[in-house]
Amino acid sequence: MDLGSANASPVLADPALINQTRIGFHSSVFTRSSGTSYSLIPKKKPGKFDDVLSNGWLDAMQSSSPPRKKMLKDVGVELASDDNEVVYYSWMLKYPSALKSFDRIINRANNKEVVIFLDYDGTLSPIVDDPNRAFMSSDMRSAVKGVAKYFPTAIISGRSRDKVYELVGLTELFYAGSHGMDIMFPAKNTISINHTNYIRSTDKQGKEVNLFQPAREFIPMIDEVYRTLVEVAKDIPGALVENHKFCTSVHYRNVDEKSWPTIAQCVHDVLKDYPRLRLTHGRKVLEVRPVIDWDKGKAVEFLLESLGLSNSDDVLPIYIGDDRTDEDAFKVLREKNRGYGILVSSVPKESKAFLSLRDPSEVKDFLKSLIKWKEQISGIDKRSKEAVKHTSPQFVFRGF
Ligand SMILES: O=P(O)(O)OC[C@H]1O[C@H](O[C@H]2O[C@H](CO)[C@@H](O)[C@H](O)[C@H]2O)[C@H](O)[C@@H](O)[C@@H]1O
């Protein structure tokens, strides 16, 4: 990553850019008035849910984390379960299984520094109804711990950094919370940049760390919006609002589908007063975040840079994730032709990833295969060093 871009504030100050970046305005509502400027003129008197119908939020909510049956209906009408498998296997021609492609991966990884990036929800832990109960299994934890023993490993999550650390509970990892807007890494990895978003701190063990928080100035705004959203969501049964410090999430997984337009419209109305915030869609969740030029892809580049591993042909980054926000990271790897993006999905969907895994259980198997491979090659290395020792000149000489 060009460190100049970390020096420059990622906050987008140009209102024109902010309008482009804000998701949710359908191009048809922008009417050309004169010259090159555009004004926002509603085409007709708005109805109750017109905003969220025209801006595509409702469509995005319907297709968010679709149940298996619905997704396959979209592809080919009524399908029997065998047909589901056929559709999935034909999709896998484009996104081959990372487990089945393992030999290809390790061939490319040989003599390279492998760096692992992991999303949390839907990747390390299964998707469950209650976000507070999205625990990873102890088997998965030991796989992540094992991987971190051999390769630099980072978790990049939409959750707050503290929350994801609490759920993962491993000190040997790097953590980036709030979709990469809150990155913590050891003080020894300081990059020589002078930026107000860079601060020194101490972690839970009292060790010196660096924090990179490109959306620091938004903390009070996010807190205010979070509180407003809690207030508006309290009358919608099943709605849940989370505060991630640099972004906030409104969950509708447990909301009756009939009330989805209501929840979308409420969030839309709150956001009208905050032109510097935008909305993105996750798995049955509306995510409100600052309009800044920062995402999980930028966080990957930043972490590689902090580890001194960017711009090197000797580095192989592997990013595993299941959500739309992970696409930013897949895109970075694909565009730079670096490493592998691996999409976790049990249903066919378009992605910028190269490979796929079906679910967290396959993620665990993949991580375990990486550990086994590393242990094998370290064993071979160790044995060949032993052999060299035993055939050392001194030993050979005594033989004479
Ligand atoms: O980037 P991630 O680590 O994948 O975080 C994305 C969101 O994950 C959580 O929500 C998702 O998982 C929940 C638990 O399985 C599920 O109930 C919810 O429907 C999913 O959207 C988390 O609660 C969100 O705040 C994160 O933004």
PDB file of all heavy atoms in Angstrom, residues 155-179:
ATOM      1  N   ILE A 155      -7.455 -11.267  12.357  1.00  0.00           N
ATOM      2  CA  ILE A 155      -8.912 -11.364  12.234  1.00  0.00           C
ATOM      3  C   ILE A 155      -9.397  -9.985  11.802  1.00  0.00           C
ATOM      4  O   ILE A 155      -9.039  -8.978  12.424  1.00  0.00           O
ATOM      5  CB  ILE A 155      -9.577 -11.685  13.602  1.00  0.00           C
ATOM      6  CG1 ILE A 155      -8.949 -12.908  14.266  1.00  0.00           C
ATOM      7  CG2 ILE A 155     -11.088 -11.812  13.460  1.00  0.00           C
ATOM      8  CD1 ILE A 155      -9.491 -14.236  13.883  1.00  0.00           C
ATOM      9  N   ILE A 156     -10.198  -9.935  10.750  1.00  0.00           N
ATOM     10  CA  ILE A 156     -10.771  -8.655  10.310  1.00  0.00           C
ATOM     11  C   ILE A 156     -12.291  -8.795  10.343  1.00  0.00           C
ATOM     12  O   ILE A 156     -12.875  -9.521   9.536  1.00  0.00           O
ATOM     13  CB  ILE A 156     -10.296  -8.271   8.890  1.00  0.00           C
ATOM     14  CG1 ILE A 156      -8.759  -8.252   8.853  1.00  0.00           C
ATOM     15  CG2 ILE A 156     -10.864  -6.924   8.489  1.00  0.00           C
ATOM     16  CD1 ILE A 156      -8.158  -7.709   7.580  1.00  0.00           C
ATOM     17  N   SER A 157     -12.911  -8.116  11.309  1.00  0.00           N
ATOM     18  CA  SER A 157     -14.337  -8.327  11.544  1.00  0.00           C
ATOM     19  C   SER A 157     -15.130  -7.025  11.480  1.00  0.00           C
ATOM     20  O   SER A 157     -14.580  -5.940  11.685  1.00  0.00           O
ATOM     21  CB  SER A 157     -14.507  -8.952  12.932  1.00  0.00           C
ATOM     22  OG  SER A 157     -15.859  -8.987  13.300  1.00  0.00           O
ATOM     23  N   GLY A 158     -16.442  -7.174  11.251  1.00  0.00           N
ATOM     24  CA  GLY A 158     -17.333  -6.013  11.309  1.00  0.00           C
ATOM     25  C   GLY A 158     -17.652  -5.654  12.753  1.00  0.00           C
ATOM     26  O   GLY A 158     -18.111  -4.551  13.047  1.00  0.00           O
ATOM     27  N   ARG A 159     -17.415  -6.579  13.655  1.00  0.00           N
ATOM     28  CA  ARG A 159     -17.696  -6.310  15.076  1.00  0.00           C
ATOM     29  C   ARG A 159     -16.674  -5.353  15.655  1.00  0.00           C
ATOM     30  O   ARG A 159     -15.627  -5.108  15.043  1.00  0.00           O
ATOM     31  CB  ARG A 159     -17.619  -7.624  15.857  1.00  0.00           C
ATOM     32  CG  ARG A 159     -18.747  -8.578  15.554  1.00  0.00           C
ATOM     33  CD  ARG A 159     -18.540  -9.843  16.329  1.00  0.00           C
ATOM     34  NE  ARG A 159     -19.565 -10.829  16.040  1.00  0.00           N
ATOM     35  CZ  ARG A 159     -20.640 -11.046  16.799  1.00  0.00           C
ATOM     36  NH1 ARG A 159     -20.837 -10.337  17.900  1.00  0.00           N
ATOM     37  NH2 ARG A 159     -21.514 -11.979  16.475  1.00  0.00           N
ATOM     38  N   SER A 160     -16.930  -4.880  16.872  1.00  0.00           N
ATOM     39  CA  SER A 160     -15.924  -4.031  17.518  1.00  0.00           C
ATOM     40  C   SER A 160     -14.706  -4.913  17.824  1.00  0.00           C
ATOM     41  O   SER A 160     -14.837  -6.129  18.018  1.00  0.00           O
ATOM     42  CB  SER A 160     -16.471  -3.415  18.804  1.00  0.00           C
ATOM     43  OG  SER A 160     -16.545  -4.403  19.803  1.00  0.00           O
ATOM     44  N   ARG A 161     -13.549  -4.285  17.862  1.00  0.00           N
ATOM     45  CA  ARG A 161     -12.310  -5.049  18.091  1.00  0.00           C
ATOM     46  C   ARG A 161     -12.359  -5.768  19.440  1.00  0.00           C
ATOM     47  O   ARG A 161     -11.981  -6.934  19.557  1.00  0.00           O
ATOM     48  CB  ARG A 161     -11.097  -4.108  17.999  1.00  0.00           C
ATOM     49  CG  ARG A 161      -9.767  -4.789  18.166  1.00  0.00           C
ATOM     50  CD  ARG A 161      -8.635  -3.866  17.814  1.00  0.00           C
ATOM     51  NE  ARG A 161      -8.736  -2.547  18.398  1.00  0.00           N
ATOM     52  CZ  ARG A 161      -8.454  -2.251  19.664  1.00  0.00           C
ATOM     53  NH1 ARG A 161      -8.047  -3.179  20.488  1.00  0.00           N
ATOM     54  NH2 ARG A 161      -8.580  -1.011  20.110  1.00  0.00           N
ATOM     55  N   ASP A 162     -12.864  -5.069  20.465  1.00  0.00           N
ATOM     56  CA  ASP A 162     -12.936  -5.680  21.798  1.00  0.00           C
ATOM     57  C   ASP A 162     -13.829  -6.914  21.783  1.00  0.00           C
ATOM     58  O   ASP A 162     -13.511  -7.939  22.373  1.00  0.00           O
ATOM     59  CB  ASP A 162     -13.514  -4.688  22.812  1.00  0.00           C
ATOM     60  CG  ASP A 162     -12.458  -3.698  23.252  1.00  0.00           C
ATOM     61  OD1 ASP A 162     -11.272  -3.905  22.908  1.00  0.00           O
ATOM     62  OD2 ASP A 162     -12.817  -2.696  23.911  1.00  0.00           O
ATOM     63  N   LYS A 163     -14.960  -6.803  21.086  1.00  0.00           N
ATOM     64  CA  LYS A 163     -15.927  -7.906  21.070  1.00  0.00           C
ATOM     65  C   LYS A 163     -15.339  -9.125  20.355  1.00  0.00           C
ATOM     66  O   LYS A 163     -15.436 -10.258  20.832  1.00  0.00           O
ATOM     67  CB  LYS A 163     -17.220  -7.446  20.375  1.00  0.00           C
ATOM     68  CG  LYS A 163     -18.309  -8.474  20.351  1.00  0.00           C
ATOM     69  CD  LYS A 163     -18.905  -8.696  21.728  1.00  0.00           C
ATOM     70  CE  LYS A 163     -19.799  -9.907  21.790  1.00  0.00           C
ATOM     71  NZ  LYS A 163     -20.296 -10.183  23.134  1.00  0.00           N
ATOM     72  N   VAL A 164     -14.683  -8.860  19.215  1.00  0.00           N
ATOM     73  CA  VAL A 164     -14.158 -10.016  18.469  1.00  0.00           C
ATOM     74  C   VAL A 164     -12.986 -10.654  19.233  1.00  0.00           C
ATOM     75  O   VAL A 164     -12.837 -11.884  19.245  1.00  0.00           O
ATOM     76  CB  VAL A 164     -13.849  -9.651  16.987  1.00  0.00           C
ATOM     77  CG1 VAL A 164     -12.570  -8.898  16.811  1.00  0.00           C
ATOM     78  CG2 VAL A 164     -13.820 -10.906  16.127  1.00  0.00           C
ATOM     79  N   TYR A 165     -12.224  -9.819  19.940  1.00  0.00           N
ATOM     80  CA  TYR A 165     -11.144 -10.376  20.767  1.00  0.00           C
ATOM     81  C   TYR A 165     -11.735 -11.258  21.883  1.00  0.00           C
ATOM     82  O   TYR A 165     -11.240 -12.352  22.164  1.00  0.00           O
ATOM     83  CB  TYR A 165     -10.278  -9.261  21.365  1.00  0.00           C
ATOM     84  CG  TYR A 165      -9.239  -9.799  22.320  1.00  0.00           C
ATOM     85  CD1 TYR A 165      -8.116 -10.469  21.840  1.00  0.00           C
ATOM     86  CD2 TYR A 165      -9.419  -9.695  23.698  1.00  0.00           C
ATOM     87  CE1 TYR A 165      -7.178 -11.011  22.708  1.00  0.00           C
ATOM     88  CE2 TYR A 165      -8.488 -10.230  24.578  1.00  0.00           C
ATOM     89  CZ  TYR A 165      -7.373 -10.882  24.075  1.00  0.00           C
ATOM     90  OH  TYR A 165      -6.458 -11.429  24.932  1.00  0.00           O
ATOM     91  N   GLU A 166     -12.824 -10.754  22.474  1.00  0.00           N
ATOM     92  CA  GLU A 166     -13.485 -11.514  23.551  1.00  0.00           C
ATOM     93  C   GLU A 166     -13.970 -12.879  23.009  1.00  0.00           C
ATOM     94  O   GLU A 166     -13.857 -13.900  23.680  1.00  0.00           O
ATOM     95  CB  GLU A 166     -14.676 -10.672  24.015  1.00  0.00           C
ATOM     96  CG  GLU A 166     -15.439 -11.181  25.201  1.00  0.00           C
ATOM     97  CD  GLU A 166     -16.698 -10.334  25.386  1.00  0.00           C
ATOM     98  OE1 GLU A 166     -16.608  -9.088  25.389  1.00  0.00           O
ATOM     99  OE2 GLU A 166     -17.785 -10.947  25.487  1.00  0.00           O
ATOM    100  N   LEU A 167     -14.490 -12.884  21.782  1.00  0.00           N
ATOM    101  CA  LEU A 167     -15.012 -14.135  21.212  1.00  0.00           C
ATOM    102  C   LEU A 167     -13.898 -15.098  20.797  1.00  0.00           C
ATOM    103  O   LEU A 167     -14.029 -16.306  20.934  1.00  0.00           O
ATOM    104  CB  LEU A 167     -15.901 -13.829  19.999  1.00  0.00           C
ATOM    105  CG  LEU A 167     -17.254 -13.183  20.318  1.00  0.00           C
ATOM    106  CD1 LEU A 167     -17.877 -12.576  19.071  1.00  0.00           C
ATOM    107  CD2 LEU A 167     -18.206 -14.215  20.932  1.00  0.00           C
ATOM    108  N   VAL A 168     -12.809 -14.552  20.281  1.00  0.00           N
ATOM    109  CA  VAL A 168     -11.719 -15.422  19.782  1.00  0.00           C
ATOM    110  C   VAL A 168     -10.777 -15.812  20.925  1.00  0.00           C
ATOM    111  O   VAL A 168     -10.375 -16.966  21.051  1.00  0.00           O
ATOM    112  CB  VAL A 168     -10.946 -14.725  18.634  1.00  0.00           C
ATOM    113  CG1 VAL A 168      -9.751 -15.553  18.178  1.00  0.00           C
ATOM    114  CG2 VAL A 168     -11.874 -14.467  17.442  1.00  0.00           C
ATOM    115  N   GLY A 169     -10.408 -14.819  21.728  1.00  0.00           N
ATOM    116  CA  GLY A 169      -9.632 -15.100  22.941  1.00  0.00           C
ATOM    117  C   GLY A 169      -8.209 -15.587  22.709  1.00  0.00           C
ATOM    118  O   GLY A 169      -7.670 -16.306  23.540  1.00  0.00           O
ATOM    119  N   LEU A 170      -7.583 -15.245  21.588  1.00  0.00           N
ATOM    120  CA  LEU A 170      -6.188 -15.651  21.361  1.00  0.00           C
ATOM    121  C   LEU A 170      -5.310 -14.403  21.296  1.00  0.00           C
ATOM    122  O   LEU A 170      -5.596 -13.477  20.530  1.00  0.00           O
ATOM    123  CB  LEU A 170      -6.077 -16.436  20.045  1.00  0.00           C
ATOM    124  CG  LEU A 170      -6.818 -17.780  19.982  1.00  0.00           C
ATOM    125  CD1 LEU A 170      -6.833 -18.327  18.560  1.00  0.00           C
ATOM    126  CD2 LEU A 170      -6.170 -18.797  20.929  1.00  0.00           C
ATOM    127  N   THR A 171      -4.234 -14.420  22.078  1.00  0.00           N
ATOM    128  CA  THR A 171      -3.383 -13.221  22.126  1.00  0.00           C
ATOM    129  C   THR A 171      -2.415 -13.161  20.946  1.00  0.00           C
ATOM    130  O   THR A 171      -1.854 -12.112  20.657  1.00  0.00           O
ATOM    131  CB  THR A 171      -2.554 -13.193  23.427  1.00  0.00           C
ATOM    132  OG1 THR A 171      -1.898 -14.455  23.533  1.00  0.00           O
ATOM    133  CG2 THR A 171      -3.422 -12.956  24.639  1.00  0.00           C
ATOM    134  N   GLU A 172      -2.212 -14.304  20.277  1.00  0.00           N
ATOM    135  CA  GLU A 172      -1.171 -14.329  19.248  1.00  0.00           C
ATOM    136  C   GLU A 172      -1.603 -13.806  17.879  1.00  0.00           C
ATOM    137  O   GLU A 172      -0.891 -13.949  16.908  1.00  0.00           O
ATOM    138  CB  GLU A 172      -0.583 -15.742  19.109  1.00  0.00           C
ATOM    139  CG  GLU A 172      -1.556 -16.906  19.035  1.00  0.00           C
ATOM    140  CD  GLU A 172      -2.018 -17.423  20.394  1.00  0.00           C
ATOM    141  OE1 GLU A 172      -2.934 -16.794  20.966  1.00  0.00           O
ATOM    142  OE2 GLU A 172      -1.481 -18.429  20.882  1.00  0.00           O
ATOM    143  N   LEU A 173      -2.787 -13.179  17.811  1.00  0.00           N
ATOM    144  CA  LEU A 173      -3.290 -12.713  16.517  1.00  0.00           C
ATOM    145  C   LEU A 173      -3.266 -11.189  16.435  1.00  0.00           C
ATOM    146  O   LEU A 173      -3.184 -10.503  17.441  1.00  0.00           O
ATOM    147  CB  LEU A 173      -4.749 -13.143  16.323  1.00  0.00           C
ATOM    148  CG  LEU A 173      -5.116 -14.595  16.593  1.00  0.00           C
ATOM    149  CD1 LEU A 173      -6.612 -14.787  16.414  1.00  0.00           C
ATOM    150  CD2 LEU A 173      -4.368 -15.521  15.659  1.00  0.00           C
ATOM    151  N   PHE A 174      -3.408 -10.675  15.208  1.00  0.00           N
ATOM    152  CA  PHE A 174      -3.673  -9.249  15.010  1.00  0.00           C
ATOM    153  C   PHE A 174      -5.188  -9.105  14.901  1.00  0.00           C
ATOM    154  O   PHE A 174      -5.845  -9.970  14.314  1.00  0.00           O
ATOM    155  CB  PHE A 174      -3.028  -8.740  13.716  1.00  0.00           C
ATOM    156  CG  PHE A 174      -1.547  -8.949  13.685  1.00  0.00           C
ATOM    157  CD1 PHE A 174      -1.001 -10.065  13.058  1.00  0.00           C
ATOM    158  CD2 PHE A 174      -0.685  -8.040  14.293  1.00  0.00           C
ATOM    159  CE1 PHE A 174       0.367 -10.270  13.038  1.00  0.00           C
ATOM    160  CE2 PHE A 174       0.679  -8.239  14.279  1.00  0.00           C
ATOM    161  CZ  PHE A 174       1.206  -9.361  13.643  1.00  0.00           C
ATOM    162  N   TYR A 175      -5.712  -8.009  15.433  1.00  0.00           N
ATOM    163  CA  TYR A 175      -7.164  -7.818  15.371  1.00  0.00           C
ATOM    164  C   TYR A 175      -7.509  -6.497  14.693  1.00  0.00           C
ATOM    165  O   TYR A 175      -6.911  -5.461  15.009  1.00  0.00           O
ATOM    166  CB  TYR A 175      -7.770  -7.799  16.780  1.00  0.00           C
ATOM    167  CG  TYR A 175      -7.782  -9.163  17.440  1.00  0.00           C
ATOM    168  CD1 TYR A 175      -6.692  -9.585  18.222  1.00  0.00           C
ATOM    169  CD2 TYR A 175      -8.851 -10.032  17.283  1.00  0.00           C
ATOM    170  CE1 TYR A 175      -6.689 -10.839  18.822  1.00  0.00           C
ATOM    171  CE2 TYR A 175      -8.854 -11.291  17.888  1.00  0.00           C
ATOM    172  CZ  TYR A 175      -7.773 -11.681  18.651  1.00  0.00           C
ATOM    173  OH  TYR A 175      -7.778 -12.924  19.242  1.00  0.00           O
ATOM    174  N   ALA A 176      -8.471  -6.571  13.764  1.00  0.00           N
ATOM    175  CA  ALA A 176      -9.015  -5.354  13.160  1.00  0.00           C
ATOM    176  C   ALA A 176     -10.527  -5.418  13.319  1.00  0.00           C
ATOM    177  O   ALA A 176     -11.168  -6.336  12.812  1.00  0.00           O
ATOM    178  CB  ALA A 176      -8.624  -5.276  11.690  1.00  0.00           C
ATOM    179  N   GLY A 177     -11.101  -4.470  14.038  1.00  0.00           N
ATOM    180  CA  GLY A 177     -12.554  -4.450  14.248  1.00  0.00           C
ATOM    181  C   GLY A 177     -13.210  -3.402  13.370  1.00  0.00           C
ATOM    182  O   GLY A 177     -12.542  -2.698  12.600  1.00  0.00           O
ATOM    183  N   SER A 178     -14.529  -3.295  13.478  1.00  0.00           N
ATOM    184  CA  SER A 178     -15.321  -2.277  12.750  1.00  0.00           C
ATOM    185  C   SER A 178     -14.959  -2.244  11.267  1.00  0.00           C
ATOM    186  O   SER A 178     -14.655  -1.183  10.716  1.00  0.00           O
ATOM    187  CB  SER A 178     -15.134  -0.895  13.372  1.00  0.00           C
ATOM    188  OG  SER A 178     -15.364  -0.908  14.749  1.00  0.00           O
ATOM    189  N   HIS A 179     -14.955  -3.382  10.634  1.00  0.00           N
ATOM    190  CA  HIS A 179     -14.628  -3.511   9.197  1.00  0.00           C
ATOM    191  C   HIS A 179     -13.262  -2.930   8.854  1.00  0.00           C
ATOM    192  O   HIS A 179     -13.081  -2.330   7.799  1.00  0.00           O
ATOM    193  CB  HIS A 179     -15.712  -2.854   8.327  1.00  0.00           C
ATOM    194  CG  HIS A 179     -17.064  -3.460   8.523  1.00  0.00           C
ATOM    195  ND1 HIS A 179     -17.362  -4.739   8.128  1.00  0.00           N
ATOM    196  CD2 HIS A 179     -18.187  -2.980   9.108  1.00  0.00           C
ATOM    197  CE1 HIS A 179     -18.612  -5.020   8.454  1.00  0.00           C
ATOM    198  NE2 HIS A 179     -19.130  -3.970   9.056  1.00  0.00           N
TER     199      HIS A 179
END
